Structure formats: structure tokens, C-alpha cells
Amino acid sequence: MNTSYKFSLEKIKANYKLKGRENKELKYLVLYKAIKDCIVNFDLPLDWLLPSTRILAQNLELSRTTVNKAYELLQLEKMIVAKVGSGYRVCYKPTANKKYSKKSILLNDTSQFPELSEKGKSFAKNISLVNKSFNNNIAFRPGLPPLDAFPVNQWQRLLNTYWRHIKSSNLAYSATTGIEELKNSVSKYLYVSRGIKCDSSQIVIVSGSLQSLYLIATTLLNKKDHVVLENPVFPNVHSIFKSSEATLVPTELDEEGLDIASLGNLKVNPKLIHVTPSNHYPLGTKMSLIRRQQLIDWASEHKAMIIENDYENEIANQHLQIPSIYSLDNEDRTIYMGTFNRLLHPSIRLGYMIVPQYLIKPVEALQEHSHKFVSPSIQVVMTQFIARNYLYQHLRNIISVANKRFSMFRSTFNSISGHMFIAAQECYSFHVVATLNNQSEQKLESEILTALKLRDIEAHSLSKCYIGTRKMYGLILGFSAVNERELLKKIKLMKGII
């Protein structure tokens, strides 16, 4: 008898005996109420396995008919469900005002608890800025590479090899900033693919870009410290720095990237400048070489650190390679960020950053006090994935797939759209921006997003990326994860909405 089964039996048995002593009703009603109480009070959680009618009848010294009647009542109330091959399971979900709590009176009386910290309040307040969704709709959710092109078999073989040869000593704690083999591999990969030279000791392995930003913000920022951000900006970046209680300095872009000249009126020295120079999010603007050098000079003059978020360099720079800000910087004031989540798949949770020498120890200490380290098995497999040239092969494949899907998506979308238009002529990212023809249509953007969601189509708001009142309206659409057949089918569903 498995643990879940045995636990259910003991709970029902105890409650049935209790109910039986105080209740003179028919036995099946007593049993029904006993089980229902267990479910409503969460003694038997959602999807919990219940005893079979035979086992329950034997243990309570009841007839099978009595138990069957009790189970039938519970099924009618949709408290339990019979699943073929697995017996009866709890299917009760609490309503919004019914919470797991021993003292529900305390739920709305926060005076009974310690007050949240200012930073805790700030993060809770700003969570709405984050773009997040946990449904299975990949059409047309931004931030996804061609998931169906990921070489699952290659990865599985590497993972199987890892577990076949693992030593018990390797199951202990791992290096906080990442295993040395992966750091060396990432260092070589960055040199070959982007011309970046760095010492592997400067590389910090993380779960993704958001964790990198959290580590940097927590290490460097005090309340009201100034942070320069591109405007528009990735909402998750906005959320991190706003939640860190920094003073945000949204800065407009022109055709060469962040407008350095507009920072001339800034009367304070910002601590951080966050930019996406290879592929501005979400508009795709590339920062020119001259502008990158100007930014480095401005940061040096104002003693600021630069965060170079290079989230989709591989697809953004298929045809043109401009030296990274990190490579041009001779003062070690640039923090370089990259992620494999946007190249392989988001569930891998693997990224990296190159940090200046003076930040290595505080960043490592913060990691040590928080998430500790990224799973060593993932790190080892990623090391092999790079060493065996699988990563380079995969990049060539997904770029080819993304280019094909971009052309199909853009032409089909523009052919049926009345309110919106995709201006991009080439594939610069795994997402595209479709702007509204009338840029005062805030209400229309919201209505379109709502209508798409009702058809199980995901999209992000363009206006949400802006800080302040001056906004553009439209949709950010991730096309690359959707195969050609499904892509055409989903766009047809959009006809009449867009």
C-alpha cells in the first residue's frame, strides 16, 4: 500500500469514527460527511489518492454498497473523481475566499504579523510589471526560440552519460559561481562567437538574466540610487530596478541607440546604465560603434557601471558584428550578460555574466546566501554540448528556422491586418513588434490583447515597455517557436481582431 493510500485511509477512518459517535444518520451519509470534511479541511489535498471501496469497507467494517454510495455522493458534488487505472482521487479546488489556514481570521488582519520590509513591499507592489504566463500557449509568446528544433536526443545522451559515470563525491555541494569546466567553455565560446576576451574567474553562472540583474542590483544599489534605462525597456528589467527602490532615469533612443546627449541634463551620477546594444528590446535597434564608445566615455566621466545585456546576440548579428561594449571598455566598468534560455529553451535555466574584478567577491557572497549554485548536472551537460560543437550546430539550425518563420509570419500578418503593421524587413530577434497605425489607440491595444487571449493566443503589450506617459502602442509577438502549419492556423484566428 503506497504512502498516499495509507495516509488517506487513516484520515478517513479517524474522522468516520468521530462522526459516528455523534451522528445517528445512515452509515453511508456518515462516511460521506467524514470524507467530505477531510477534503474541505485539506486533510486530503487535491489529486490525493483515496482507498478503494473494498479496502475502505474492510477497514471500517462496512459493506461495499455503503462505501459505494458515499463515493457516489462525493462524485456528484465533484469532490472526487474516478480515474481509470488509478482509482478515486480528490478533485476539490478551494474557492478564492477559502485558503489553507488554521486561523483564517488572521488572513485579513496583517496587524497580527511583523511588518514587511520596504524592499519586500516594493517587490510585491511591482510584480505586475513582470511579463509572465504559465499556460501552454506558445503562439505567439515572446521570449521563446524554436523549441521544436532543440536536439533533445543529443542532450539526453549527454545527460545519460553524466549519470552513468557520476561519482558519489560529485553529489555534494558545487562551486557557487559555476563549475570551472563550464566557465572555461563559456569563455572560449564568447571569444569565438563574439570576440570577447575574459578570464574565466570573472564568469558567474546563473539561472538566467533576471537573476543576474537581481544580483547586480542587490550588490550595488541603495535606495534612491540612479539607474539609467533605455525607454522603452524590457518590463522585467524595469521591475527589478524599480523594486530595488532605485531612482529610474528613462532615456529615449534614436536610430543609433541610447541617446547619450539627453543625459547631459542629469545632475547626479547614476550608479548603473542598463542597455541592450546588440538588439534593443523590443524595437531591435542596434547601437552604433560610435555611440558605444560615447557611452563608455560618459560612464567613465560619471563613474557609472554599464550593464550590457546581450540577450539575443546570435540572431541579432547574423550579418553584422559590432564589437561589444565589454570589448571596447578599457576600465573594467562593464558587466556583460548572456543567457542560454533564449537559445535552447527557457526551462533549462542557465545563463552567465562577466563581472568586473571588484564585484566578484560580493556577487559570489550574495549567491552563497541565496540560491547557492546552478545544478551541476546541467552545467556538465552544457559544457559537453559546447565542446562537441552541438551548440554551434544548433545555432545555425534555429537561425535558419527563425528566418523562414519570420518571413511567413510577417507577410501573412501584414496581409490580413487592418489596424497593425510589422515594419521589420529582416529577422532581428525571436519576436517582432506590430505597431498600431494610430498611435493614440491605447484602448484598442488592450482590446486586441484581451480578444487574442480568448482565442488562446499570447502576446505582450508594447506600451507596457515604456516608462512615463509617452508611449507607442502595439503587440510584441513571438513567432519562432510555432511551426509553419500552426503559425498559419493561428494567424487566421487573429483575422478580424487585428
Side-chain angles (χ1 to χ4, degrees), residues 78-123:
K78 297 184 178 178
M79 306 292 287
I80 67 172
V81 62
K83 294 190 176 182
V84 178
S86 64
Y88 293 92
R89 289 186 178 271
V90 176
C91 64
Y92 172 73
K93 294 181 181 179
T95 54
N97 60 354
K98 179 73 175 177
K99 305 287 185 182
Y100 292 86
S101 177
K102 291 183 178 179
K103 296 182 179 179
S104 58
I105 193 171
L106 296 179
L107 288 172
N108 298 313
D109 184 7
T110 56
S111 66
Q112 301 290 326
F113 301 102
E115 186 178 1
L116 294 176
S117 69
E118 291 303 314
K119 187 160 284 190
K121 291 177 184 175
S122 183
F123 272 94

mmCIF file of all heavy atoms in Angstrom, residues 78-123:
data_model
loop_
_atom_site.group_PDB
_atom_site.id
_atom_site.type_symbol
_atom_site.label_atom_id
_atom_site.label_comp_id
_atom_site.label_asym_id
_atom_site.label_seq_id
_atom_site.Cartn_x
_atom_site.Cartn_y
_atom_site.Cartn_z
ATOM 1 N N LYS A 78 -18.673 16.619 -7.110
ATOM 2 C CA LYS A 78 -17.380 16.893 -7.742
ATOM 3 C C LYS A 78 -16.267 17.112 -6.721
ATOM 4 O O LYS A 78 -15.350 17.915 -6.925
ATOM 5 C CB LYS A 78 -17.491 18.090 -8.688
ATOM 6 C CG LYS A 78 -18.452 17.830 -9.834
ATOM 7 C CD LYS A 78 -18.481 18.969 -10.829
ATOM 8 C CE LYS A 78 -19.437 18.625 -11.984
ATOM 9 N NZ LYS A 78 -19.545 19.724 -12.959
ATOM 10 N N MET A 79 -16.364 16.370 -5.624
ATOM 11 C CA MET A 79 -15.309 16.393 -4.612
ATOM 12 C C MET A 79 -14.222 15.382 -4.960
ATOM 13 O O MET A 79 -13.050 15.575 -4.642
ATOM 14 C CB MET A 79 -15.867 16.061 -3.222
ATOM 15 C CG MET A 79 -17.022 16.916 -2.772
ATOM 16 S SD MET A 79 -16.554 18.619 -2.475
ATOM 17 C CE MET A 79 -15.635 18.486 -0.967
ATOM 18 N N ILE A 80 -14.640 14.272 -5.610
ATOM 19 C CA ILE A 80 -13.688 13.249 -6.035
ATOM 20 C C ILE A 80 -14.004 12.848 -7.461
ATOM 21 O O ILE A 80 -15.093 13.123 -7.975
ATOM 22 C CB ILE A 80 -13.717 12.002 -5.111
ATOM 23 C CG1 ILE A 80 -15.056 11.267 -5.235
ATOM 24 C CG2 ILE A 80 -13.434 12.375 -3.671
ATOM 25 C CD1 ILE A 80 -15.096 9.925 -4.502
ATOM 26 N N VAL A 81 -13.053 12.193 -8.101
ATOM 27 C CA VAL A 81 -13.245 11.726 -9.466
ATOM 28 C C VAL A 81 -12.651 10.326 -9.588
ATOM 29 O O VAL A 81 -11.625 10.027 -8.969
ATOM 30 C CB VAL A 81 -12.591 12.697 -10.479
ATOM 31 C CG1 VAL A 81 -11.088 12.784 -10.273
ATOM 32 C CG2 VAL A 81 -12.909 12.304 -11.910
ATOM 33 N N ALA A 82 -13.319 9.480 -10.360
ATOM 34 C CA ALA A 82 -12.806 8.130 -10.607
ATOM 35 C C ALA A 82 -11.949 8.160 -11.858
ATOM 36 O O ALA A 82 -12.424 8.549 -12.931
ATOM 37 C CB ALA A 82 -13.965 7.155 -10.775
ATOM 38 N N LYS A 83 -10.683 7.769 -11.736
ATOM 39 C CA LYS A 83 -9.765 7.749 -12.870
ATOM 40 C C LYS A 83 -9.418 6.312 -13.223
ATOM 41 O O LYS A 83 -8.996 5.546 -12.349
ATOM 42 C CB LYS A 83 -8.492 8.540 -12.552
ATOM 43 C CG LYS A 83 -8.757 10.041 -12.369
ATOM 44 C CD LYS A 83 -7.465 10.830 -12.300
ATOM 45 C CE LYS A 83 -7.758 12.316 -12.228
ATOM 46 N NZ LYS A 83 -6.501 13.120 -12.201
ATOM 47 N N VAL A 84 -9.615 5.974 -14.483
ATOM 48 C CA VAL A 84 -9.363 4.603 -14.933
ATOM 49 C C VAL A 84 -7.912 4.216 -14.664
ATOM 50 O O VAL A 84 -6.989 4.924 -15.042
ATOM 51 C CB VAL A 84 -9.669 4.461 -16.441
ATOM 52 C CG1 VAL A 84 -9.361 3.057 -16.909
ATOM 53 C CG2 VAL A 84 -11.130 4.828 -16.717
ATOM 54 N N GLY A 85 -7.742 3.100 -13.969
ATOM 55 C CA GLY A 85 -6.400 2.588 -13.710
ATOM 56 C C GLY A 85 -5.740 3.149 -12.479
ATOM 57 O O GLY A 85 -4.696 2.657 -12.050
ATOM 58 N N SER A 86 -6.316 4.219 -11.883
ATOM 59 C CA SER A 86 -5.671 4.793 -10.696
ATOM 60 C C SER A 86 -6.638 5.011 -9.532
ATOM 61 O O SER A 86 -6.265 5.595 -8.522
ATOM 62 C CB SER A 86 -4.998 6.127 -11.051
ATOM 63 O OG SER A 86 -5.964 7.087 -11.443
ATOM 64 N N GLY A 87 -7.870 4.573 -9.642
ATOM 65 C CA GLY A 87 -8.811 4.653 -8.533
ATOM 66 C C GLY A 87 -9.434 6.024 -8.367
ATOM 67 O O GLY A 87 -9.533 6.806 -9.309
ATOM 68 N N TYR A 88 -9.845 6.316 -7.143
ATOM 69 C CA TYR A 88 -10.521 7.581 -6.835
ATOM 70 C C TYR A 88 -9.506 8.612 -6.345
ATOM 71 O O TYR A 88 -8.660 8.324 -5.503
ATOM 72 C CB TYR A 88 -11.588 7.363 -5.758
ATOM 73 C CG TYR A 88 -12.745 6.505 -6.208
ATOM 74 C CD1 TYR A 88 -12.739 5.124 -6.001
ATOM 75 C CD2 TYR A 88 -13.844 7.071 -6.840
ATOM 76 C CE1 TYR A 88 -13.795 4.328 -6.416
ATOM 77 C CE2 TYR A 88 -14.922 6.284 -7.265
ATOM 78 C CZ TYR A 88 -14.889 4.913 -7.044
ATOM 79 O OH TYR A 88 -15.939 4.129 -7.455
ATOM 80 N N ARG A 89 -9.650 9.828 -6.860
ATOM 81 C CA ARG A 89 -8.743 10.903 -6.453
ATOM 82 C C ARG A 89 -9.533 12.160 -6.100
ATOM 83 O O ARG A 89 -10.607 12.408 -6.657
ATOM 84 C CB ARG A 89 -7.733 11.229 -7.555
ATOM 85 C CG ARG A 89 -6.680 10.141 -7.747
ATOM 86 C CD ARG A 89 -5.608 10.557 -8.729
ATOM 87 N NE ARG A 89 -4.586 9.524 -8.860
ATOM 88 C CZ ARG A 89 -3.495 9.426 -8.096
ATOM 89 N NH1 ARG A 89 -3.295 10.318 -7.129
ATOM 90 N NH2 ARG A 89 -2.616 8.461 -8.283
ATOM 91 N N VAL A 90 -8.984 12.950 -5.182
ATOM 92 C CA VAL A 90 -9.607 14.213 -4.779
ATOM 93 C C VAL A 90 -9.506 15.200 -5.935
ATOM 94 O O VAL A 90 -8.439 15.361 -6.535
ATOM 95 C CB VAL A 90 -8.909 14.786 -3.528
ATOM 96 C CG1 VAL A 90 -9.499 16.152 -3.167
ATOM 97 C CG2 VAL A 90 -9.021 13.819 -2.356
ATOM 98 N N CYS A 91 -10.611 15.879 -6.243
ATOM 99 C CA CYS A 91 -10.566 16.895 -7.301
ATOM 100 C C CYS A 91 -11.130 18.231 -6.824
ATOM 101 O O CYS A 91 -11.438 19.115 -7.610
ATOM 102 C CB CYS A 91 -11.309 16.427 -8.549
ATOM 103 S SG CYS A 91 -13.070 16.165 -8.317
ATOM 104 N N TYR A 92 -11.244 18.404 -5.516
ATOM 105 C CA TYR A 92 -11.798 19.632 -4.937
ATOM 106 C C TYR A 92 -10.782 20.763 -4.970
ATOM 107 O O TYR A 92 -9.646 20.617 -4.529
ATOM 108 C CB TYR A 92 -12.224 19.371 -3.484
ATOM 109 C CG TYR A 92 -12.630 20.610 -2.710
ATOM 110 C CD1 TYR A 92 -13.836 21.245 -2.973
ATOM 111 C CD2 TYR A 92 -11.811 21.125 -1.708
ATOM 112 C CE1 TYR A 92 -14.218 22.364 -2.261
ATOM 113 C CE2 TYR A 92 -12.182 22.249 -0.983
ATOM 114 C CZ TYR A 92 -13.386 22.865 -1.271
ATOM 115 O OH TYR A 92 -13.764 23.977 -0.561
ATOM 116 N N LYS A 93 -11.214 21.910 -5.520
ATOM 117 C CA LYS A 93 -10.370 23.103 -5.524
ATOM 118 C C LYS A 93 -11.057 24.169 -4.674
ATOM 119 O O LYS A 93 -12.235 24.458 -4.883
ATOM 120 C CB LYS A 93 -10.165 23.618 -6.947
ATOM 121 C CG LYS A 93 -9.374 22.668 -7.829
ATOM 122 C CD LYS A 93 -9.186 23.258 -9.210
ATOM 123 C CE LYS A 93 -8.404 22.295 -10.107
ATOM 124 N NZ LYS A 93 -8.231 22.835 -11.472
ATOM 125 N N PRO A 94 -10.316 24.784 -3.760
ATOM 126 C CA PRO A 94 -10.935 25.788 -2.903
ATOM 127 C C PRO A 94 -11.330 27.033 -3.689
ATOM 128 O O PRO A 94 -10.704 27.369 -4.690
ATOM 129 C CB PRO A 94 -9.829 26.118 -1.891
ATOM 130 C CG PRO A 94 -8.568 25.765 -2.580
ATOM 131 C CD PRO A 94 -8.892 24.600 -3.460
ATOM 132 N N THR A 95 -12.379 27.714 -3.246
ATOM 133 C CA THR A 95 -12.785 28.980 -3.871
ATOM 134 C C THR A 95 -11.796 30.056 -3.451
ATOM 135 O O THR A 95 -10.972 29.864 -2.565
ATOM 136 C CB THR A 95 -14.205 29.367 -3.414
ATOM 137 O OG1 THR A 95 -14.237 29.382 -1.983
ATOM 138 C CG2 THR A 95 -15.227 28.371 -3.921
ATOM 139 N N ALA A 96 -11.921 31.226 -4.095
ATOM 140 C CA ALA A 96 -10.947 32.297 -3.872
ATOM 141 C C ALA A 96 -10.882 32.733 -2.416
ATOM 142 O O ALA A 96 -9.837 33.127 -1.916
ATOM 143 C CB ALA A 96 -11.292 33.492 -4.757
ATOM 144 N N ASN A 97 -12.033 32.679 -1.700
ATOM 145 C CA ASN A 97 -12.023 33.153 -0.307
ATOM 146 C C ASN A 97 -11.761 32.028 0.691
ATOM 147 O O ASN A 97 -11.827 32.222 1.892
ATOM 148 C CB ASN A 97 -13.352 33.849 0.025
ATOM 149 C CG ASN A 97 -14.540 32.912 -0.149
ATOM 150 O OD1 ASN A 97 -14.378 31.802 -0.616
ATOM 151 N ND2 ASN A 97 -15.725 33.396 0.225
ATOM 152 N N LYS A 98 -11.477 30.828 0.184
ATOM 153 C CA LYS A 98 -11.184 29.705 1.069
ATOM 154 C C LYS A 98 -9.702 29.382 0.952
ATOM 155 O O LYS A 98 -9.224 28.932 -0.074
ATOM 156 C CB LYS A 98 -12.013 28.488 0.653
ATOM 157 C CG LYS A 98 -11.763 27.237 1.498
ATOM 158 C CD LYS A 98 -12.354 27.342 2.882
ATOM 159 C CE LYS A 98 -12.191 26.042 3.659
ATOM 160 N NZ LYS A 98 -12.694 26.145 5.015
ATOM 161 N N LYS A 99 -8.949 29.650 1.983
ATOM 162 C CA LYS A 99 -7.496 29.483 1.938
ATOM 163 C C LYS A 99 -7.062 28.400 2.911
ATOM 164 O O LYS A 99 -7.771 28.075 3.870
ATOM 165 C CB LYS A 99 -6.797 30.798 2.320
ATOM 166 C CG LYS A 99 -7.227 31.997 1.485
ATOM 167 C CD LYS A 99 -6.661 31.931 0.099
ATOM 168 C CE LYS A 99 -6.987 33.194 -0.689
ATOM 169 N NZ LYS A 99 -6.489 33.151 -2.045
ATOM 170 N N TYR A 100 -5.868 27.863 2.671
ATOM 171 C CA TYR A 100 -5.267 26.936 3.616
ATOM 172 C C TYR A 100 -4.835 27.746 4.836
ATOM 173 O O TYR A 100 -3.877 28.518 4.765
ATOM 174 C CB TYR A 100 -4.024 26.262 3.010
ATOM 175 C CG TYR A 100 -4.303 25.318 1.893
ATOM 176 C CD1 TYR A 100 -4.405 25.770 0.580
ATOM 177 C CD2 TYR A 100 -4.456 23.965 2.122
ATOM 178 C CE1 TYR A 100 -4.648 24.901 -0.463
ATOM 179 C CE2 TYR A 100 -4.700 23.076 1.079
ATOM 180 C CZ TYR A 100 -4.799 23.561 -0.202
ATOM 181 O OH TYR A 100 -5.034 22.694 -1.232
ATOM 182 N N SER A 101 -5.514 27.635 5.909
ATOM 183 C CA SER A 101 -5.134 28.397 7.097
ATOM 184 C C SER A 101 -5.761 27.801 8.343
ATOM 185 O O SER A 101 -6.934 27.460 8.361
ATOM 186 C CB SER A 101 -5.573 29.856 6.951
ATOM 187 O OG SER A 101 -5.267 30.580 8.119
ATOM 188 N N LYS A 102 -4.985 27.685 9.405
ATOM 189 C CA LYS A 102 -5.533 27.206 10.668
ATOM 190 C C LYS A 102 -6.366 28.292 11.324
ATOM 191 O O LYS A 102 -7.308 28.014 12.049
ATOM 192 C CB LYS A 102 -4.395 26.781 11.595
ATOM 193 C CG LYS A 102 -3.663 25.528 11.116
ATOM 194 C CD LYS A 102 -2.600 25.113 12.099
ATOM 195 C CE LYS A 102 -1.901 23.845 11.635
ATOM 196 N NZ LYS A 102 -0.827 23.426 12.561
ATOM 197 N N LYS A 103 -5.976 29.556 11.092
ATOM 198 C CA LYS A 103 -6.696 30.672 11.680
ATOM 199 C C LYS A 103 -7.039 31.656 10.579
ATOM 200 O O LYS A 103 -6.328 32.622 10.354
ATOM 201 C CB LYS A 103 -5.848 31.352 12.759
ATOM 202 C CG LYS A 103 -5.536 30.446 13.951
ATOM 203 C CD LYS A 103 -4.747 31.191 15.007
ATOM 204 C CE LYS A 103 -4.455 30.314 16.214
ATOM 205 N NZ LYS A 103 -3.673 31.021 17.249
ATOM 206 N N SER A 104 -8.139 31.384 9.890
ATOM 207 C CA SER A 104 -8.491 32.204 8.743
ATOM 208 C C SER A 104 -8.767 33.650 9.137
ATOM 209 O O SER A 104 -8.674 34.551 8.306
ATOM 210 C CB SER A 104 -9.719 31.631 8.034
ATOM 211 O OG SER A 104 -10.813 31.553 8.937
ATOM 212 N N ILE A 105 -9.070 33.900 10.412
ATOM 213 C CA ILE A 105 -9.344 35.255 10.866
ATOM 214 C C ILE A 105 -8.130 36.159 10.696
ATOM 215 O O ILE A 105 -8.230 37.371 10.553
ATOM 216 C CB ILE A 105 -9.809 35.245 12.348
ATOM 217 C CG1 ILE A 105 -10.388 36.619 12.715
ATOM 218 C CG2 ILE A 105 -8.657 34.884 13.288
ATOM 219 C CD1 ILE A 105 -11.058 36.656 14.060
ATOM 220 N N LEU A 106 -6.937 35.526 10.659
ATOM 221 C CA LEU A 106 -5.712 36.317 10.553
ATOM 222 C C LEU A 106 -5.402 36.729 9.118
ATOM 223 O O LEU A 106 -4.561 37.601 8.895
ATOM 224 C CB LEU A 106 -4.523 35.518 11.104
ATOM 225 C CG LEU A 106 -4.554 35.176 12.595
ATOM 226 C CD1 LEU A 106 -3.319 34.373 12.954
ATOM 227 C CD2 LEU A 106 -4.611 36.439 13.443
ATOM 228 N N LEU A 107 -6.086 36.116 8.151
ATOM 229 C CA LEU A 107 -5.736 36.359 6.758
ATOM 230 C C LEU A 107 -5.903 37.815 6.354
ATOM 231 O O LEU A 107 -5.139 38.346 5.564
ATOM 232 C CB LEU A 107 -6.587 35.478 5.838
ATOM 233 C CG LEU A 107 -6.228 33.990 5.853
ATOM 234 C CD1 LEU A 107 -7.247 33.212 5.073
ATOM 235 C CD2 LEU A 107 -4.831 33.767 5.285
ATOM 236 N N ASN A 108 -6.925 38.476 6.900
ATOM 237 C CA ASN A 108 -7.185 39.871 6.545
ATOM 238 C C ASN A 108 -6.776 40.841 7.651
ATOM 239 O O ASN A 108 -7.110 42.014 7.595
ATOM 240 C CB ASN A 108 -8.682 40.053 6.233
ATOM 241 C CG ASN A 108 -9.111 39.217 5.050
ATOM 242 O OD1 ASN A 108 -8.445 39.204 4.031
ATOM 243 N ND2 ASN A 108 -10.223 38.505 5.193
ATOM 244 N N ASP A 109 -6.054 40.344 8.624
ATOM 245 C CA ASP A 109 -5.627 41.194 9.733
ATOM 246 C C ASP A 109 -4.106 41.151 9.824
ATOM 247 O O ASP A 109 -3.524 40.407 10.597
ATOM 248 C CB ASP A 109 -6.275 40.706 11.043
ATOM 249 C CG ASP A 109 -5.947 41.627 12.209
ATOM 250 O OD1 ASP A 109 -5.337 42.688 11.974
ATOM 251 O OD2 ASP A 109 -6.273 41.267 13.350
ATOM 252 N N THR A 110 -3.456 41.975 8.992
ATOM 253 C CA THR A 110 -1.991 41.936 8.917
ATOM 254 C C THR A 110 -1.321 42.500 10.163
ATOM 255 O O THR A 110 -0.115 42.357 10.332
ATOM 256 C CB THR A 110 -1.494 42.716 7.684
ATOM 257 O OG1 THR A 110 -1.999 44.055 7.752
ATOM 258 C CG2 THR A 110 -1.971 42.052 6.406
ATOM 259 N N SER A 111 -2.102 43.145 11.031
ATOM 260 C CA SER A 111 -1.516 43.676 12.271
ATOM 261 C C SER A 111 -1.043 42.565 13.190
ATOM 262 O O SER A 111 -0.274 42.807 14.121
ATOM 263 C CB SER A 111 -2.539 44.543 13.007
ATOM 264 O OG SER A 111 -3.629 43.743 13.449
ATOM 265 N N GLN A 112 -1.480 41.336 12.911
ATOM 266 C CA GLN A 112 -1.074 40.196 13.732
ATOM 267 C C GLN A 112 0.324 39.689 13.374
ATOM 268 O O GLN A 112 0.858 38.813 14.047
ATOM 269 C CB GLN A 112 -2.082 39.045 13.544
ATOM 270 C CG GLN A 112 -3.518 39.387 13.912
ATOM 271 C CD GLN A 112 -3.691 39.567 15.402
ATOM 272 O OE1 GLN A 112 -3.045 38.894 16.193
ATOM 273 N NE2 GLN A 112 -4.551 40.491 15.788
ATOM 274 N N PHE A 113 0.908 40.242 12.289
ATOM 275 C CA PHE A 113 2.189 39.752 11.807
ATOM 276 C C PHE A 113 3.219 40.879 11.763
ATOM 277 O O PHE A 113 2.857 42.058 11.741
ATOM 278 C CB PHE A 113 2.031 39.163 10.388
ATOM 279 C CG PHE A 113 1.045 38.038 10.305
ATOM 280 C CD1 PHE A 113 -0.229 38.238 9.802
ATOM 281 C CD2 PHE A 113 1.386 36.768 10.750
ATOM 282 C CE1 PHE A 113 -1.143 37.200 9.736
ATOM 283 C CE2 PHE A 113 0.485 35.726 10.674
ATOM 284 C CZ PHE A 113 -0.787 35.935 10.175
ATOM 285 N N PRO A 114 4.501 40.536 11.697
ATOM 286 C CA PRO A 114 5.523 41.583 11.549
ATOM 287 C C PRO A 114 5.346 42.325 10.231
ATOM 288 O O PRO A 114 4.924 41.741 9.234
ATOM 289 C CB PRO A 114 6.853 40.800 11.550
ATOM 290 C CG PRO A 114 6.532 39.483 12.160
ATOM 291 C CD PRO A 114 5.108 39.195 11.834
ATOM 292 N N GLU A 115 5.672 43.599 10.212
ATOM 293 C CA GLU A 115 5.547 44.411 9.007
ATOM 294 C C GLU A 115 6.604 43.991 7.985
ATOM 295 O O GLU A 115 7.741 43.669 8.346
ATOM 296 C CB GLU A 115 5.731 45.889 9.342
ATOM 297 C CG GLU A 115 5.466 46.806 8.166
ATOM 298 C CD GLU A 115 5.619 48.277 8.534
ATOM 299 O OE1 GLU A 115 5.955 48.565 9.697
ATOM 300 O OE2 GLU A 115 5.409 49.116 7.637
ATOM 301 N N LEU A 116 6.212 43.996 6.723
ATOM 302 C CA LEU A 116 7.154 43.675 5.656
ATOM 303 C C LEU A 116 8.245 44.743 5.580
ATOM 304 O O LEU A 116 8.015 45.913 5.912
ATOM 305 C CB LEU A 116 6.439 43.608 4.307
ATOM 306 C CG LEU A 116 5.418 42.493 4.094
ATOM 307 C CD1 LEU A 116 4.758 42.662 2.734
ATOM 308 C CD2 LEU A 116 6.077 41.127 4.199
ATOM 309 N N SER A 117 9.418 44.351 5.098
ATOM 310 C CA SER A 117 10.482 45.321 4.867
ATOM 311 C C SER A 117 10.075 46.227 3.707
ATOM 312 O O SER A 117 9.198 45.888 2.908
ATOM 313 C CB SER A 117 11.791 44.602 4.519
ATOM 314 O OG SER A 117 11.688 44.001 3.238
ATOM 315 N N GLU A 118 10.713 47.389 3.596
ATOM 316 C CA GLU A 118 10.422 48.308 2.497
ATOM 317 C C GLU A 118 10.704 47.638 1.153
ATOM 318 O O GLU A 118 9.968 47.803 0.198
ATOM 319 C CB GLU A 118 11.258 49.588 2.639
ATOM 320 C CG GLU A 118 10.862 50.463 3.824
ATOM 321 C CD GLU A 118 9.401 50.870 3.785
ATOM 322 O OE1 GLU A 118 8.927 51.286 2.700
ATOM 323 O OE2 GLU A 118 8.717 50.754 4.810
ATOM 324 N N LYS A 119 11.787 46.854 1.104
ATOM 325 C CA LYS A 119 12.122 46.181 -0.150
ATOM 326 C C LYS A 119 11.110 45.077 -0.455
ATOM 327 O O LYS A 119 10.724 44.869 -1.606
ATOM 328 C CB LYS A 119 13.538 45.611 -0.077
ATOM 329 C CG LYS A 119 14.032 45.039 -1.400
ATOM 330 C CD LYS A 119 15.541 44.919 -1.456
ATOM 331 C CE LYS A 119 16.203 46.246 -1.675
ATOM 332 N NZ LYS A 119 17.646 46.142 -1.969
ATOM 333 N N GLY A 120 10.655 44.367 0.587
ATOM 334 C CA GLY A 120 9.628 43.339 0.401
ATOM 335 C C GLY A 120 8.346 43.933 -0.151
ATOM 336 O O GLY A 120 7.722 43.384 -1.070
ATOM 337 N N LYS A 121 7.950 45.078 0.399
ATOM 338 C CA LYS A 121 6.749 45.770 -0.089
ATOM 339 C C LYS A 121 6.935 46.209 -1.543
ATOM 340 O O LYS A 121 6.027 46.130 -2.359
ATOM 341 C CB LYS A 121 6.461 46.995 0.776
ATOM 342 C CG LYS A 121 6.001 46.701 2.188
ATOM 343 C CD LYS A 121 5.834 48.000 2.951
ATOM 344 C CE LYS A 121 5.478 47.758 4.410
ATOM 345 N NZ LYS A 121 5.425 49.029 5.178
ATOM 346 N N SER A 122 8.141 46.682 -1.841
ATOM 347 C CA SER A 122 8.427 47.190 -3.181
ATOM 348 C C SER A 122 8.342 46.083 -4.232
ATOM 349 O O SER A 122 7.733 46.267 -5.295
ATOM 350 C CB SER A 122 9.814 47.836 -3.208
ATOM 351 O OG SER A 122 10.084 48.405 -4.466
ATOM 352 N N PHE A 123 8.929 44.920 -3.938
ATOM 353 C CA PHE A 123 8.868 43.810 -4.887
ATOM 354 C C PHE A 123 7.429 43.311 -5.052
ATOM 355 O O PHE A 123 6.999 42.992 -6.165
ATOM 356 C CB PHE A 123 9.786 42.666 -4.451
ATOM 357 C CG PHE A 123 11.198 42.804 -4.948
ATOM 358 C CD1 PHE A 123 12.166 43.400 -4.174
ATOM 359 C CD2 PHE A 123 11.543 42.356 -6.210
ATOM 360 C CE1 PHE A 123 13.465 43.555 -4.639
ATOM 361 C CE2 PHE A 123 12.841 42.503 -6.697
ATOM 362 C CZ PHE A 123 13.806 43.107 -5.900
#
